[in-house]
PDB file of all heavy atoms in Angstrom:
ATOM      1  N   ILE A 471      -3.573  12.098 -21.426  1.00 98.00           N
ATOM      2  CA  ILE A 471      -2.199  11.590 -21.693  1.00 98.00           C
ATOM      3  C   ILE A 471      -1.519  11.383 -20.332  1.00 98.00           C
ATOM      4  O   ILE A 471      -1.676  12.196 -19.421  1.00 98.00           O
ATOM      5  CB  ILE A 471      -1.507  12.602 -22.565  1.00 98.00           C
ATOM      6  CG1 ILE A 471      -2.127  12.586 -23.958  1.00 98.00           C
ATOM      7  CG2 ILE A 471       0.035  12.357 -22.611  1.00 98.00           C
ATOM      8  CD1 ILE A 471      -1.605  13.584 -24.959  1.00 98.00           C
ATOM      9  N   THR A 475       3.224   7.895 -21.355  1.00 98.00           N
ATOM     10  CA  THR A 475       2.986   8.193 -22.744  1.00 98.00           C
ATOM     11  C   THR A 475       3.853   9.333 -23.245  1.00 98.00           C
ATOM     12  O   THR A 475       4.501   9.252 -24.314  1.00 98.00           O
ATOM     13  CB  THR A 475       1.471   8.537 -22.938  1.00 98.00           C
ATOM     14  OG1 THR A 475       0.696   7.395 -22.635  1.00 98.00           O
ATOM     15  CG2 THR A 475       1.146   8.998 -24.359  1.00 98.00           C
ATOM     16  N   LEU A 476       3.909  10.401 -22.436  1.00 98.00           N
ATOM     17  CA  LEU A 476       4.729  11.549 -22.860  1.00 98.00           C
ATOM     18  C   LEU A 476       6.211  11.212 -23.017  1.00 98.00           C
ATOM     19  O   LEU A 476       6.880  11.645 -23.930  1.00 98.00           O
ATOM     20  CB  LEU A 476       4.651  12.668 -21.787  1.00 98.00           C
ATOM     21  CG  LEU A 476       3.444  13.595 -21.812  1.00 98.00           C
ATOM     22  CD1 LEU A 476       3.491  14.586 -20.657  1.00 98.00           C
ATOM     23  CD2 LEU A 476       3.348  14.353 -23.159  1.00 98.00           C
ATOM     24  N   THR A 477       6.686  10.354 -22.095  1.00 98.00           N
ATOM     25  CA  THR A 477       8.097   9.974 -22.168  1.00 98.00           C
ATOM     26  C   THR A 477       8.397   9.198 -23.415  1.00 98.00           C
ATOM     27  O   THR A 477       9.403   9.461 -24.087  1.00 98.00           O
ATOM     28  CB  THR A 477       8.458   9.108 -20.885  1.00 98.00           C
ATOM     29  OG1 THR A 477       8.008   9.784 -19.742  1.00 98.00           O
ATOM     30  CG2 THR A 477       9.950   8.912 -20.779  1.00 98.00           C
ATOM     31  N   VAL A 478       7.480   8.281 -23.790  1.00 98.00           N
ATOM     32  CA  VAL A 478       7.684   7.469 -25.005  1.00 98.00           C
ATOM     33  C   VAL A 478       7.617   8.450 -26.220  1.00 98.00           C
ATOM     34  O   VAL A 478       8.407   8.293 -27.168  1.00 98.00           O
ATOM     35  CB  VAL A 478       6.639   6.351 -25.116  1.00 98.00           C
ATOM     36  CG1 VAL A 478       6.852   5.564 -26.430  1.00 98.00           C
ATOM     37  CG2 VAL A 478       6.726   5.414 -23.961  1.00 98.00           C
ATOM     38  N   MET A 479       6.772   9.427 -26.128  1.00 98.00           N
ATOM     39  CA  MET A 479       6.682  10.421 -27.275  1.00 98.00           C
ATOM     40  C   MET A 479       7.975  11.196 -27.402  1.00 98.00           C
ATOM     41  O   MET A 479       8.438  11.481 -28.496  1.00 98.00           O
ATOM     42  CB  MET A 479       5.505  11.348 -27.036  1.00 98.00           C
ATOM     43  CG  MET A 479       4.151  10.703 -27.258  1.00 98.00           C
ATOM     44  SD  MET A 479       2.767  11.757 -26.772  1.00 98.00           S
ATOM     45  CE  MET A 479       2.307  12.384 -28.357  1.00 98.00           C
ATOM     46  N   VAL A 480       8.615  11.566 -26.274  1.00 98.00           N
ATOM     47  CA  VAL A 480       9.891  12.280 -26.340  1.00 98.00           C
ATOM     48  C   VAL A 480      10.953  11.370 -26.946  1.00 98.00           C
ATOM     49  O   VAL A 480      11.719  11.804 -27.816  1.00 98.00           O
ATOM     50  CB  VAL A 480      10.313  12.819 -24.963  1.00 98.00           C
ATOM     51  CG1 VAL A 480      11.715  13.407 -25.026  1.00 98.00           C
ATOM     52  CG2 VAL A 480       9.349  13.846 -24.417  1.00 98.00           C
ATOM     53  N   VAL A 481      10.994  10.107 -26.544  1.00 98.00           N
ATOM     54  CA  VAL A 481      11.961   9.185 -27.047  1.00 98.00           C
ATOM     55  C   VAL A 481      11.786   9.029 -28.594  1.00 98.00           C
ATOM     56  O   VAL A 481      12.766   9.142 -29.340  1.00 98.00           O
ATOM     57  CB  VAL A 481      11.821   7.746 -26.401  1.00 98.00           C
ATOM     58  CG1 VAL A 481      12.625   6.688 -27.093  1.00 98.00           C
ATOM     59  CG2 VAL A 481      12.215   7.818 -24.933  1.00 98.00           C
ATOM     60  N   PHE A 482      10.547   8.883 -29.005  1.00 98.00           N
ATOM     61  CA  PHE A 482      10.259   8.766 -30.447  1.00 98.00           C
ATOM     62  C   PHE A 482      10.757  10.005 -31.183  1.00 98.00           C
ATOM     63  O   PHE A 482      11.409   9.925 -32.222  1.00 98.00           O
ATOM     64  CB  PHE A 482       8.782   8.536 -30.672  1.00 98.00           C
ATOM     65  CG  PHE A 482       8.419   8.321 -32.109  1.00 98.00           C
ATOM     66  CD1 PHE A 482       8.750   7.136 -32.774  1.00 98.00           C
ATOM     67  CD2 PHE A 482       7.711   9.289 -32.791  1.00 98.00           C
ATOM     68  CE1 PHE A 482       8.429   6.917 -34.095  1.00 98.00           C
ATOM     69  CE2 PHE A 482       7.340   9.097 -34.165  1.00 98.00           C
ATOM     70  CZ  PHE A 482       7.722   7.915 -34.800  1.00 98.00           C
ATOM     71  N   PHE A 483      10.422  11.173 -30.668  1.00 98.00           N
ATOM     72  CA  PHE A 483      10.839  12.426 -31.290  1.00 98.00           C
ATOM     73  C   PHE A 483      12.385  12.475 -31.412  1.00 98.00           C
ATOM     74  O   PHE A 483      12.906  12.863 -32.457  1.00 98.00           O
ATOM     75  CB  PHE A 483      10.325  13.614 -30.427  1.00 98.00           C
ATOM     76  CG  PHE A 483      11.020  14.905 -30.697  1.00 98.00           C
ATOM     77  CD1 PHE A 483      10.811  15.627 -31.857  1.00 98.00           C
ATOM     78  CD2 PHE A 483      11.941  15.413 -29.756  1.00 98.00           C
ATOM     79  CE1 PHE A 483      11.482  16.827 -32.063  1.00 98.00           C
ATOM     80  CE2 PHE A 483      12.611  16.601 -29.973  1.00 98.00           C
ATOM     81  CZ  PHE A 483      12.381  17.324 -31.156  1.00 98.00           C
ATOM     82  N   LEU A 484      13.090  12.057 -30.364  1.00 98.00           N
ATOM     83  CA  LEU A 484      14.558  12.117 -30.414  1.00 98.00           C
ATOM     84  C   LEU A 484      15.155  11.064 -31.401  1.00 98.00           C
ATOM     85  O   LEU A 484      16.237  11.257 -31.934  1.00 98.00           O
ATOM     86  CB  LEU A 484      15.157  11.937 -29.010  1.00 98.00           C
ATOM     87  CG  LEU A 484      14.839  13.102 -28.056  1.00 98.00           C
ATOM     88  CD1 LEU A 484      15.279  12.810 -26.621  1.00 98.00           C
ATOM     89  CD2 LEU A 484      15.493  14.400 -28.537  1.00 98.00           C
ATOM     90  N   PHE A 540      10.170  19.870 -30.789  1.00 98.00           N
ATOM     91  CA  PHE A 540       9.236  18.888 -30.161  1.00 98.00           C
ATOM     92  C   PHE A 540       7.812  19.405 -30.380  1.00 98.00           C
ATOM     93  O   PHE A 540       6.911  18.670 -30.796  1.00 98.00           O
ATOM     94  CB  PHE A 540       9.550  18.679 -28.692  1.00 98.00           C
ATOM     95  CG  PHE A 540       8.554  17.838 -27.984  1.00 98.00           C
ATOM     96  CD1 PHE A 540       8.649  16.477 -27.945  1.00 98.00           C
ATOM     97  CD2 PHE A 540       7.442  18.394 -27.332  1.00 98.00           C
ATOM     98  CE1 PHE A 540       7.731  15.633 -27.296  1.00 98.00           C
ATOM     99  CE2 PHE A 540       6.467  17.622 -26.711  1.00 98.00           C
ATOM    100  CZ  PHE A 540       6.632  16.236 -26.650  1.00 98.00           C
ATOM    101  N   TYR A 544       4.949  17.505 -32.791  1.00 98.00           N
ATOM    102  CA  TYR A 544       3.633  16.947 -32.360  1.00 98.00           C
ATOM    103  C   TYR A 544       2.498  17.917 -32.704  1.00 98.00           C
ATOM    104  O   TYR A 544       1.329  17.477 -32.768  1.00 98.00           O
ATOM    105  CB  TYR A 544       3.680  16.529 -30.923  1.00 98.00           C
ATOM    106  CG  TYR A 544       4.457  15.218 -30.753  1.00 98.00           C
ATOM    107  CD1 TYR A 544       5.654  15.182 -30.033  1.00 98.00           C
ATOM    108  CD2 TYR A 544       3.964  14.054 -31.377  1.00 98.00           C
ATOM    109  CE1 TYR A 544       6.342  13.978 -29.950  1.00 98.00           C
ATOM    110  CE2 TYR A 544       4.719  12.864 -31.270  1.00 98.00           C
ATOM    111  CZ  TYR A 544       5.885  12.808 -30.554  1.00 98.00           C
ATOM    112  OH  TYR A 544       6.572  11.644 -30.454  1.00 98.00           O
ATOM    113  N   PHE A 549      -1.696  12.245 -36.430  1.00 98.00           N
ATOM    114  CA  PHE A 549      -2.220  11.287 -35.460  1.00 98.00           C
ATOM    115  C   PHE A 549      -3.381  10.476 -36.016  1.00 98.00           C
ATOM    116  O   PHE A 549      -3.637   9.339 -35.555  1.00 98.00           O
ATOM    117  CB  PHE A 549      -2.705  12.024 -34.192  1.00 98.00           C
ATOM    118  CG  PHE A 549      -1.574  12.508 -33.330  1.00 98.00           C
ATOM    119  CD1 PHE A 549      -1.305  13.872 -33.205  1.00 98.00           C
ATOM    120  CD2 PHE A 549      -0.772  11.628 -32.599  1.00 98.00           C
ATOM    121  CE1 PHE A 549      -0.295  14.355 -32.419  1.00 98.00           C
ATOM    122  CE2 PHE A 549       0.255  12.072 -31.813  1.00 98.00           C
ATOM    123  CZ  PHE A 549       0.472  13.456 -31.677  1.00 98.00           C
ATOM    124  N   ILE A 554       2.865   5.670 -33.283  1.00 98.00           N
ATOM    125  CA  ILE A 554       4.252   5.927 -32.822  1.00 98.00           C
ATOM    126  C   ILE A 554       4.854   4.593 -32.424  1.00 98.00           C
ATOM    127  O   ILE A 554       4.270   3.839 -31.626  1.00 98.00           O
ATOM    128  CB  ILE A 554       4.181   6.946 -31.635  1.00 98.00           C
ATOM    129  CG1 ILE A 554       3.782   8.303 -32.241  1.00 98.00           C
ATOM    130  CG2 ILE A 554       5.510   7.011 -30.906  1.00 98.00           C
ATOM    131  CD1 ILE A 554       3.500   9.337 -31.171  1.00 98.00           C
ATOM    132  N   LEU A 570      -5.090   8.069 -30.207  1.00 98.00           N
ATOM    133  CA  LEU A 570      -3.623   8.080 -30.152  1.00 98.00           C
ATOM    134  C   LEU A 570      -3.115   6.650 -30.026  1.00 98.00           C
ATOM    135  O   LEU A 570      -3.576   5.894 -29.147  1.00 98.00           O
ATOM    136  CB  LEU A 570      -3.190   8.912 -28.907  1.00 98.00           C
ATOM    137  CG  LEU A 570      -1.676   8.998 -28.588  1.00 98.00           C
ATOM    138  CD1 LEU A 570      -0.920   9.633 -29.726  1.00 98.00           C
ATOM    139  CD2 LEU A 570      -1.490   9.784 -27.290  1.00 98.00           C
ATOM    140  N   ILE A 572       0.200   4.398 -29.574  1.00 98.00           N
ATOM    141  CA  ILE A 572       1.635   4.290 -29.273  1.00 98.00           C
ATOM    142  C   ILE A 572       1.893   2.835 -28.947  1.00 98.00           C
ATOM    143  O   ILE A 572       1.439   2.329 -27.911  1.00 98.00           O
ATOM    144  CB  ILE A 572       2.070   5.202 -28.125  1.00 98.00           C
ATOM    145  CG1 ILE A 572       1.696   6.629 -28.457  1.00 98.00           C
ATOM    146  CG2 ILE A 572       3.559   5.054 -27.843  1.00 98.00           C
ATOM    147  CD1 ILE A 572       2.065   7.638 -27.346  1.00 98.00           C
ATOM    148  N   PHE A 594      -3.784  18.573 -26.470  1.00 97.00           N
ATOM    149  CA  PHE A 594      -2.326  18.420 -26.492  1.00 97.00           C
ATOM    150  C   PHE A 594      -1.755  19.045 -27.784  1.00 97.00           C
ATOM    151  O   PHE A 594      -0.821  19.829 -27.750  1.00 97.00           O
ATOM    152  CB  PHE A 594      -1.941  16.941 -26.391  1.00 97.00           C
ATOM    153  CG  PHE A 594      -0.508  16.624 -26.693  1.00 97.00           C
ATOM    154  CD1 PHE A 594       0.462  16.898 -25.720  1.00 97.00           C
ATOM    155  CD2 PHE A 594      -0.090  16.081 -27.876  1.00 97.00           C
ATOM    156  CE1 PHE A 594       1.811  16.641 -25.957  1.00 97.00           C
ATOM    157  CE2 PHE A 594       1.222  15.799 -28.148  1.00 97.00           C
ATOM    158  CZ  PHE A 594       2.215  16.073 -27.132  1.00 97.00           C
TER     159      PHE A 594
END
Side-chain angles (χ1 to χ4, degrees):
I471 291 175
T475 295
L476 278 178
T477 310
V478 179
M479 289 172 99
V480 173
V481 168
F482 183 71
F483 161 74
L484 293 172
F540 173 87
Y544 285 115
F549 287 109
I554 289 170
L570 176 60
I572 303 179
F594 170 76

